């Protein structure tokens, strides 16, 4: 069982940066792939970024590649999403997610644990 608590969202202007944090509790943290999803107003929840426990590789949606960076600090049981060069199109509720497995999937239904979400709003 994994519990996820997110923080770091806020209201920023286009071009600004934010760093989201997701603190995980539970003894299986090191066995879990971790990721970030987002849901914009009127849109379906979509994959943003993920990190594989088994390989250490990172994965990004094309829309954020080069701007966002996912990282994981196992000592602090925390995963981060550094978001640079934010655009109004990035406005969404951002959710931290974890899988029961070590490998990454990009489909929402393949993730087992979810944070409460944190709002990111980017103004023009």
């Amino acid at each position: 069982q994994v519990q996820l608590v997110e923080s770091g969202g806020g209201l920023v202007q286009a071009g600004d940066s934010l760093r989201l944090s997701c603190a995980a509790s539970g003894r299986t943290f090191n066995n879990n792939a971790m990721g970030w999803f987002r849901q914009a107003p009127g849109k379906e929840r979509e994959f943003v970024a993920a990190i594989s426990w088994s390989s250490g590789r990172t994965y990004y949606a094309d829309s954020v590649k080069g701007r966002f960076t996912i990282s994981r600090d196992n000592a602090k049981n925390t995963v981060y999403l550094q978001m640079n060069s934010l655009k109004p199109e990035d406005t969404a509720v951002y959710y931290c997610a974890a899988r029961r497995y070590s490998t990454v999937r990009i489909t929402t239904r393949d993730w087992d644990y979810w944070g409460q979400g944190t709002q990111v709003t980017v103004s023009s």
Side-chain angles (χ1 to χ4, degrees):
Q1 193 73 25
V2 177
Q3 294 80 46
L4 307 173
V5 180
E6 301 162 342
S7 62
L11 173 63
V12 298
Q13 295 181 344
D16 286 352
S17 298
L18 280 175
R19 189 178 74 162
L20 306 183
S21 298
C22 174
S25 61
R27 297 292 180 248
T28 62
F29 181 78
N30 286 339
N31 295 322
N32 302 116
M34 301 290 294
W36 291 92
F37 292 74
R38 67 186 182 186
Q39 188 165 16
K43 302 291 186 179
E44 296 181 351
R45 190 172 300 184
E46 65 175 355
F47 170 79
V48 175
I51 184 166
S52 170
W53 172 84
S54 58
S55 68
R57 292 181 61 185
T58 55
Y59 304 82
Y60 298 95
D62 289 341
S63 59
V64 306
K65 192 172 185 179
R67 299 188 297 122
F68 291 9
T69 303
I70 187 171
S71 61
R72 180 170 172 171
D73 186 338
N74 288 342
K76 300 176 68 174
N77 285 348
T78 301
V79 64
Y80 304 97
L81 184 67
Q82 178 66 45
M83 304 185 295
N84 297 328
S85 301
L86 282 163
K87 305 175 181 179
E89 305 93 277
D90 296 317
T91 295
V93 177
Y94 283 72
Y95 297 91
C96 178
R99 298 192 74 218
R100 297 180 185 272
Y101 313 101
S102 61
T103 53
V104 165
R105 297 290 186 271
I106 64 172
T107 303
T108 301
R109 67 173 61 184
D110 290 323
W111 294 77
D112 304 294
Y113 306 101
W114 295 88
Q116 78 283 1
T118 184
Q119 177 71 47
V120 172
T121 302
V122 185
S123 63
S124 301

